[in-house]
Amino acid sequence: MTETPKNLVGLDRTELAAEMAAFGAEPFRARQLWHWIYHRGATSFEAMTSLSKAFRATLAERYTMARPAVSRALASVDGTQKWLLRFADGQEVESVHIPEEDRGTLCVSSQVGCTLTCKFCHTGTQRLVRNLSAAEIVGQVMLARDALGEWPSPQDDRQLTNVVLMGMGEPLFNYDNVAKALKIVMDHEGLSLSRRKITLSTAGVVPMIERCGKELGVNLAISLHAVSDDLRDTLVPINKRYPIAELLDACRTYPGSSNARRITFEYVMLRGVNDSPAEARELVRLLEGIPAKVNLIPFNPWPGAPFERSTAAAIKLFSDTVNAAGYASPVRTPRGEDIMAACGQLKSDSVRRRKGAPAGEEAAPA
């Protein structure tokens, strides 16, 4: 029986060195491979021209450098790209690249499905299947680089400048794999993305927040969405375990947070639910003492959704109230709605397609 080749994507430096040592290769081979895999983006050993033909042949017998497979690629009229990615076991997640004038952000998934069941998020209506491995997480970044033609890793004029862990799943419920993947992404001799360009979004897994700050030092975003425990218990059920006061205490002590590196609080605007002027004032009160900014997210509806998007007037009044208190509160422009790539919509469309229900109008495949 032929042994399945081992995937080198997702291995950190120590693991890569151990693999090379296991069959007697010199230590510098691990450094060469790291350069080819994570800096040059090689997808075949044949491309590794600084290695001898014999060594390349040996590697090809034992290893692979597999990315996730693209089941479906869609392009929005606004330039957003969405990839439905399939892994070796047939499970799928989605990644989204959002181009803007001054940046290009890749939204990355950390789990297949989600365990949080947030009421306004269609992704949260899908059951949790499993955690993604480090290879499957870093593979999303590498596949986006493939699609954007960004190899070797450029230092300037990148189309992929930022990574946000805001896709499917709760990153802090899969911390070990997320941390391993992000350390590979941040390595200056590989994918070379600064920790200041990476944001991890959590619904509030309080015990893991401090560890995340100490070990990774990435930007923190909190999916808040309500200013009272009663409402947040309904909208974001993890609040029953880690209520608002505990969550905000963890934010106040998040390592590295400062006026230069503010914590982002995400707040989805639900008409008649959480968008009153009184709730804006309460939000300001709750954030006192936290270097913070607030991202207001107009609700992205789906067929049968139990909520409606707040009116433009309500969103503006809410934003003006928070701004007047000294907290930046930009309103996030919905992106990729025509391909179900907006916040809270990931994978919902692909699941519906597999079940055979009507999918609504979509953009042509990229």
Side-chain angles (χ1 to χ4, degrees):
M1 181 175 170
T2 304
E3 188 175 339
T4 303
K6 184 171 185 176
N7 192 9
L8 294 182
V9 171
L11 299 189
D12 61 24
R13 286 181 179 273
T14 301
E15 291 168 331
L16 200 52
E19 288 293 330
M20 294 303 99
F23 64 92
E26 301 90 333
F28 73 87
R29 295 298 192 190
R31 295 193 297 274
Q32 287 181 313
L33 281 173
W34 183 274
H35 175 83
W36 279 106
I37 295 168
Y38 296 123
H39 178 74
R40 302 294 294 269
T43 56
S44 73
F45 294 106
E46 191 61 32
M48 298 182 178
T49 52
S50 61
L51 281 60
S52 70
K53 282 189 175 182
F55 187 57
R56 280 181 272 168
T58 300
L59 290 172
E61 291 172 1
R62 298 168 179 251
Y63 300 108
T64 183
M65 292 174 290
R67 318 284 208 254
V70 179
S71 291
R72 199 156 179 257
L74 294 174
S76 168
V77 295
D78 64 22
T80 298
Q81 294 187 69
K82 181 175 79 167
W83 299 283
L84 175 63
L85 306 177
R86 177 170 292 179
F87 301 115
D89 62 354
Q91 296 296 336
E92 295 179 328
V93 301
E94 289 181 338
S95 296
V96 177
H97 179 257
I98 306 163
E100 299 178 78
E101 284 188 14
D102 61 341
R103 70 181 64 190
T105 301
L106 182 70
C107 184
V108 171
S109 295
S110 56
Q111 295 178 309
V112 179
C114 191
T115 188
L116 294 178
T117 65
C118 298
K119 295 299 182 288
F120 52 85
C121 178
H122 203 180
T123 309
T125 66
Q126 296 139 33
R127 67 184 180 87
L128 176 68
V129 178
R130 65 172 176 83
N131 287 332
L132 295 187
S133 67
E136 292 166 335
I137 296 169
V138 76
Q140 293 173 64
V141 182
M142 298 175 76
L143 184 138
R145 281 269 185 88
D146 293 344
L148 296 169
E150 292 208 317
W151 299 110
S153 294
Q155 293 302 312
D156 302 304
D157 299 323
R158 292 185 178 187
Q159 297 179 75
L160 199 170
T161 63
N162 294 63
V163 166
V164 294
L165 272 294
M166 295 183 184
M168 294 172 58
E170 165 54 63
L172 295 186
F173 279 155
N174 185 21
Y175 178 78
D176 288 342
N177 288 322
V178 166
K180 182 180 177 184
L182 289 184
K183 287 175 182 176
I184 293 172
V185 170
M186 293 186 291
D187 189 289
H188 69 283
E189 292 181 351
L191 292 165
S192 188
L193 203 63
S194 165
R195 68 186 70 242
R196 294 177 179 271
K197 299 291 187 179
I198 298 172
T199 300
L200 184 147
S201 176
T202 176
V205 186
V206 169
M208 298 301 298
I209 288 176
E210 181 180 12
R211 183 180 173 192
C212 174
K214 286 182 175 178
E215 295 182 3
L216 299 178
V218 297
N219 299 315
L220 181 68
I222 301 293
S223 293
L224 190 61
H225 310 304
V227 295
S228 70
D229 283 324
D230 285 347
L231 179 57
R232 196 167 190 266
D233 285 352
T234 299
L235 296 180
V236 188
I238 195 176
N239 193 74
K240 297 172 185 176
R241 290 170 61 185
Y242 308 115
I244 290 173
E246 287 184 31
L247 175 58
L248 295 184
D249 282 346
C251 291
R252 286 188 174 89
T253 57
Y254 185 70
S257 65
S258 64
N259 285 329
R261 298 191 69 196
R262 294 169 293 175
I263 294 173
T264 299
F265 289 87
E266 297 160 318
Y267 198 96
V268 65
M269 299 297 292
L270 305 172
R271 185 172 186 173
V273 176
N274 65 352
D275 61 352
S276 71
E279 283 161 310
R281 292 191 293 270
E282 177 62 7
L283 177 59
V284 168
R285 188 190 71 79
L286 288 174
L287 296 183
E288 184 176 358
I290 302 175
K293 69 175 181 178
V294 179
N295 270 355
L296 300 180
I297 307 169
F299 173 64
N300 295 307
W302 64 85
F307 303 108
E308 295 179 7
R309 180 179 294 182
S310 299
T311 65
I315 294 173
K316 184 178 186 306
L317 180 57
F318 199 103
S319 175
D320 288 347
T321 302
V322 177
N323 263 316
Y327 297 100
S329 56
V331 179
R332 183 181 296 174
T333 302
R335 299 291 299 273
E337 288 183 292
D338 57 326
I339 57 170
M340 291 290 283
C343 182
Q345 294 181 323
L346 294 194
K347 186 129 184 262
S348 54
D349 177 62
S350 57
V351 168
R352 185 167 60 248
R353 285 174 59 83
R354 286 207 301 275
K355 290 180 178 177
E361 293 187 7
E362 297 176 328

